[in-house]
């Protein structure tokens, strides 16, 4: 609280200094509260407090090229299963910064987020829903000396947890990035066909080695190069990244290490990764291909952080991000120790007023994703240097981590009614991904094979009144077996919405039948929104962008309030 008062005084003083031309103030608030009830049938977790409350508020002041901001956070306590990694507790300042944003120079001091390229060597980000915050605390400079060149540099420590205020980890992160837009840079020399962008990054971390036995590298370096080309409807992008020797508890799982050699130390080996995306689209048709290979690519600012903490880099997911309720039973999280992934997507719009397109046209979408284990050559050298494996790229192993096939048809039947029908096949290796849980909150063993059918409709009943509904069925002989789901959302624009959802597990192998009903209502007024929901939540995982956290089963009442100004 003292930090908040001090910061408020500073911001007020600055406002007085610039009173001739006051600052502009903007921000947003979010508050969530949940009341937990006992529910032994689904092993619902009830905290001692029975009520959890968490929230945050951002206040940002700007004047011309100057900007300053602060985020206040509170967790009294945080929701059960939140956040994903190290605990967030208490009340205090979670983020603060000041920034000068000139035409050719941008300087930030305090907390900041940044991304180099696709993030393979650096992406610091936060997601309130997921409960991750990888903000850096230090200084960041962005320079644009001439048209077509952007240079970035940063130096700082990384947020690790929250205890009445953010707390940084021990590691120091340093990085630089340069990007060339060749069209802007050489427009007077070469007339390029298409848009060309090339770039490169270097990031290193420092962490003191306090281990008396092992010679852990105190400085770990990483670098990447990238290329992007776009011409008409065609686009290509690719990035290669390399990380120097970086032993950690995470990469200790890449290969079997004898217990006598302390497996938690990890392997002393480099890592590398390559991601390639290409797509082509024109009116009514599009096709996309993605290939990715990850080999020992975990990069955290603290060597032995947990699986959700202190991440410097980000490994984008290759799988399709599903919105169907039952499809979210099996989300895929990128495996930093190693994977080989391929994905293809095609869509085609059948023209309006054709035999198959009908009056309004019909959209067809097909997608396929396959993610396989890598087959790293094993190096039997644990008594010498603990390299363990050769982290090769696109070395196809014999274990499937994840596979899905989606086919979807979307059609507008009339001016007031639009519908879609989707089929999805899923193969999900839960021994690796660990996203499927039973009613005792234990992960399911083995691979889950599932088929999903989902029908979605949207009916505009009359002006301002809209009904959206989903009917879904999921069939599997593993993991809790068969499910039905019904979703109904009724919106009265611009203020009210009502929803009812039920997931029914009717084919449980133990003969049990479970319903997971949730009813919600809410009111929206401009940028203010309040919602109330009540019901059961099954155990599982919640994912954002290929990063997932475990969500335990619960039963109770939830109230949410958001506002921006």
């Amino acid at each position: 609280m003292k930090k908040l008062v001090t910061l408020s005084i500073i911001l007020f003083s600055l406002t007085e200094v610039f009173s001739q031309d006051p600052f502009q103030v903007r921000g947003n608030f979010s508050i969530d509260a949940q009341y937990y009830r006992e529910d032994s049938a689904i092993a619902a977790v009830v905290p001692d407090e029975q009520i959890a409350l968490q929230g945050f508020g951002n206040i940002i002041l700007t004047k011309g090229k100057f900007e300053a901001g602060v985020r206040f956070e509170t967790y009294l306590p945080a929701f059960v299963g939140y956040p994903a990694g190290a605990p967030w507790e208490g009340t205090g300042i979670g983020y603060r910064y000041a920034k000068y944003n000139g035409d050719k120079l941008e300087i930030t001091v305090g907390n900041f987020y940044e991304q180099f390229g696709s993030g393979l060597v650096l992406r610091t980000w936060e997601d309130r829903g997921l409960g991750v915050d990888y903000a850096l605390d230090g200084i960041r400079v962005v320079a644009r000396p001439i048209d077509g060149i952007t240079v970035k540099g940063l130096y700082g420590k990384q947020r690790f947890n929250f205890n009445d205020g953010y707390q940084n980890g021990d590691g120091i992160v340093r990085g630089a990035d340069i990007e060339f837009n060749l069209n802007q840079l050489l427009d007077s020399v070469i007339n390029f066909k298409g848009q060309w962008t090339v770039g490169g990054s270097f990031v290193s971390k420092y962490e003191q080695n306090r281990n008396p036995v092992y010679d852990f590298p105190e400085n770990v370096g990483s670098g990447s190069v990238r290329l992007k080309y776009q011409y008409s409807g065609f686009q290509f992008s690719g990035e290669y990244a390399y990380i120097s020797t970086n032993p950690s508890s995470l990469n200790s799982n890449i290969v079997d290490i004898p217990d006598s050699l302390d497996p938690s130390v990890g392997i002393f080996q480099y890592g590398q990764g390559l991601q390639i995306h290409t797509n082509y689209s024109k009116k009514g048709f599009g096709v996309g291909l993605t290939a990715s290979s990850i080999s020992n690519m975990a990069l955290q600012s603290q060597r032995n952080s947990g699986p959700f903490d202190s991440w410097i880099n980000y490994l984008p997911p290759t799988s399709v991000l599903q919105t169907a309720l039952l499809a979210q039973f099996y989300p895929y999280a990128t495996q930093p120790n190693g994977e080989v992934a391929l994905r293809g997507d095609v869509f085609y719009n059948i023209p309006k007023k054709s035999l198959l397109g009908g009056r309004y046209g019909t959209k067809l979408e097909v997608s396929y994703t396959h993610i396989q284990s890598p087959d790293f050559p094993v190096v039997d050298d644990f008594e010498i240097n603990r390299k363990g494996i050769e982290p090769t790229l696109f070395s196809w192993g014999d274990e499937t981590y994840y596979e899905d096939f989606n086919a979807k048809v979307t059609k507008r039947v009339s001016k007031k009614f639009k519908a879609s029908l989707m089929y999805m096949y899923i193969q999900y290796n839960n021994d690796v991904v660990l996203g499927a849980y039973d009613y005792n909150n234990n992960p399911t063993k083995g691979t889950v094979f599932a088929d999903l059918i989902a029908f979605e409709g949207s009916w505009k009943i009359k002006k301002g009144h809209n009904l959206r509904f989903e009917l879904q069925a999921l069939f599997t002989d593993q993991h809790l077996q068969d499910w039905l789901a019904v979703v109904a959302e009724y919106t009265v624009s611009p203020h009210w919405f009502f929803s009812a959802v039920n997931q029914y597990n009717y084919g449980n192998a133990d003969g049990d039948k479970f319903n997971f009903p949730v009813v919600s209502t809410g009111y929206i007024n401009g940028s203010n929104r309040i919602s109330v929901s009540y019901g059961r939540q099954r155990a599982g995982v919640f994912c954002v962008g290929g990063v997932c956290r475990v969500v335990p089963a619960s039963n109770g009442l939830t109230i949410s309030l958001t506002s921006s100004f």
Side-chain angles (χ1 to χ4, degrees):
M1 183 58 73
K2 289 182 179 178
K3 294 180 179 178
L4 177 62
V5 173
T6 303
L7 188 61
S8 300
I9 293 173
I10 293 173
L11 295 177
F12 178 77
S13 301
L14 289 173
T15 304
E16 289 298 303
V17 170
F18 291 93
S19 58
Q20 299 301 316
D21 188 7
F23 283 91
Q24 294 181 335
V25 182
R26 57 188 169 88
N28 64 300
F29 294 92
S30 176
I31 300 171
D32 299 289
Q34 183 165 2
Y35 169 70
Y36 293 88
R37 291 189 60 213
E38 298 281 354
D39 192 340
S40 58
I42 59 171
V45 178
V46 180
D48 294 338
E49 297 87 346
Q50 286 198 317
I51 298 175
L53 183 145
Q54 60 190 41
F56 67 90
N58 288 298
I59 300 176
I60 300 171
L61 308 179
T62 60
K63 181 184 185 302
K65 296 179 180 179
F66 292 92
E67 178 179 309
V70 59
R71 182 171 67 224
F72 173 82
E73 301 177 25
T74 186
Y75 309 95
L76 295 174
F79 285 8
V80 175
Y82 186 95
W88 293 358
E89 301 172 336
T91 296
I93 300 299
Y95 188 92
R96 80 284 184 266
Y97 71 97
K99 181 167 69 176
Y100 168 77
N101 191 5
D103 296 333
K104 294 185 180 295
L105 184 66
E106 178 183 327
I107 301 176
T108 304
V109 294
N111 298 114
F112 58 87
Y113 301 104
E114 182 55 87
Q115 177 171 336
F116 293 168
S118 62
L120 286 178
V121 294
L122 185 134
R123 183 193 177 198
T124 57
W125 57 293
E126 63 98 13
D127 186 279
R128 294 287 106 191
L130 192 59
V132 297
D133 193 333
Y134 303 123
L136 288 170
D137 188 12
I139 185 168
R140 168 182 173 269
V141 178
V142 180
R144 304 176 186 86
I146 59 175
D147 289 343
I149 297 180
T150 301
V151 182
K152 299 178 180 178
L154 57 85
Y155 204 112
K157 289 193 170 185
Q158 193 169 31
R159 170 166 164 162
F160 174 67
N161 66 344
F162 187 95
N163 187 0
D164 289 332
Y166 74 92
Q167 295 182 335
N168 294 325
D170 293 333
I172 298 175
V173 180
R174 299 78 55 101
D177 179 86
I178 186 167
E179 184 170 284
F180 301 93
N181 183 315
L182 299 183
N183 298 79
Q184 294 181 2
L185 186 63
L186 303 173
D187 62 342
S188 61
V189 181
I190 303 175
N191 184 20
F192 287 103
K193 181 174 285 187
Q195 299 291 318
W196 290 89
T197 304
V198 296
S201 310
F202 177 77
V203 175
S204 74
K205 69 161 185 173
Y206 169 80
E207 183 180 7
Q208 185 180 3
N209 178 26
R210 298 186 175 91
N211 192 299
V213 178
Y214 293 96
D215 184 21
F216 288 111
E218 294 187 327
N219 291 281
V220 175
S222 63
S224 70
V225 292
R226 60 184 185 272
L227 167 69
K228 183 176 181 180
Y229 174 70
Q230 183 174 2
Y231 176 70
S232 187
F234 175 79
Q235 180 172 307
F236 170 88
S237 64
E239 182 168 10
Y240 169 79
Y242 176 91
I243 300 174
S244 65
T245 301
N246 184 28
S248 69
S249 57
L250 273 182
N251 75 13
S252 65
N253 297 320
I254 294 179
V255 65
D256 291 334
I257 302 174
D259 291 341
S260 59
L261 298 178
D262 191 358
S264 64
V265 171
I267 60 173
F268 286 61
Q269 185 56 284
Y270 70 90
Q272 58 179 337
L274 176 65
Q275 293 195 326
I276 300 172
H277 309 276
T278 182
N279 61 71
Y280 171 77
S281 65
K282 64 177 185 179
K283 184 177 181 181
F285 173 75
V287 58
L289 296 172
T290 300
S292 170
S293 182
I294 300 294
S295 303
N296 189 28
M297 281 291 290
L299 182 60
Q300 296 168 285
S301 57
Q302 296 192 111
R303 185 173 299 108
N304 290 319
S305 292
F308 301 102
D309 301 316
S310 308
W311 281 89
I312 299 172
N313 65 342
Y314 172 75
L315 306 174
T318 304
S319 59
V320 178
L321 300 178
Q322 297 293 338
T323 58
L325 186 63
L326 296 182
Q328 295 174 25
F329 280 21
Y330 308 111
Y332 185 76
T334 306
Q335 301 301 304
N337 282 342
E339 65 175 38
V340 181
L342 301 172
R343 173 179 162 184
D345 303 271
V346 179
F347 78 86
Y348 175 66
N349 288 332
I350 302 176
K352 300 177 181 178
K353 300 181 180 178
S354 64
L355 179 62
L356 297 178
R359 183 176 180 181
Y360 298 97
T362 301
K363 184 176 184 180
L364 307 178
E365 299 170 87
V366 176
S367 174
Y368 175 75
T369 302
H370 190 104
I371 303 174
Q372 194 78 2
S373 66
D375 183 18
F376 296 138
V378 176
V379 180
D380 186 12
D381 64 347
F382 283 104
E383 299 291 349
I384 304 173
N385 54 24
R386 293 183 69 105
K387 288 186 178 298
I389 54 107
E390 286 293 333
T392 54
L393 295 178
F394 292 104
S395 54
W396 197 265
D398 57 5
E399 186 179 13
T400 298
Y401 286 171
Y402 178 85
E403 183 180 45
D404 73 39
F405 170 79
N406 300 269
K408 184 176 182 180
V409 180
T410 303
K411 184 175 183 59
R412 178 173 293 282
V413 180
S414 68
K415 288 184 178 180
K416 294 186 176 182
F417 187 74
K418 181 180 179 181
S420 66
L421 179 64
M422 183 187 77
Y423 166 76
M424 181 178 184
Y425 165 78
I426 307 167
Q427 182 177 340
Y428 193 80
N429 188 333
N430 203 53
D431 291 337
V432 176
V433 187
L434 294 174
Y437 287 75
D438 63 19
Y439 288 119
N440 293 314
N441 288 329
N442 297 316
T444 299
K445 300 293 185 183
T447 297
V448 178
F449 301 89
D451 296 277
L452 169 69
I453 298 174
F455 177 80
E456 178 180 357
S458 179
W459 178 27
K460 186 177 180 180
I461 300 171
K462 61 181 182 181
K463 185 178 180 180
H465 292 248
N466 191 77
L467 174 65
R468 192 186 75 85
F469 61 92
E470 297 179 25
L471 303 172
Q472 301 177 21
L474 184 144
F475 309 98
T476 177
D477 291 330
Q478 304 82 28
H479 184 225
L480 306 179
Q481 299 191 323
D482 301 336
W483 291 75
L484 292 174
V486 179
V487 178
E489 297 177 351
Y490 188 76
T491 305
V492 183
S493 299
H495 296 303
W496 291 96
F497 64 91
F498 309 88
S499 71
V501 178
N502 188 33
Q503 302 171 69
Y504 177 42
N505 182 202
Y506 66 94
N508 192 286
D510 297 329
D512 297 324
K513 295 181 170 95
F514 291 95
N515 281 284
F516 291 85
V518 178
V519 293
S520 305
T521 185
Y523 179 80
I524 302 172
N525 186 1
S527 59
N528 306 306
R529 181 182 188 274
I530 185 170
S531 64
V532 180
S533 63
Y534 181 81
R536 256 181 175 180
Q537 174 182 279
R538 66 173 183 83
V541 295
F542 173 72
C543 297
V544 175
V547 180
C548 306
R549 70 174 171 92
V550 176
V551 178
S554 65
N555 188 337
L557 176 74
T558 303
I559 300 175
S560 299
L561 171 66
T562 61
S563 178
S564 60
F565 56 92

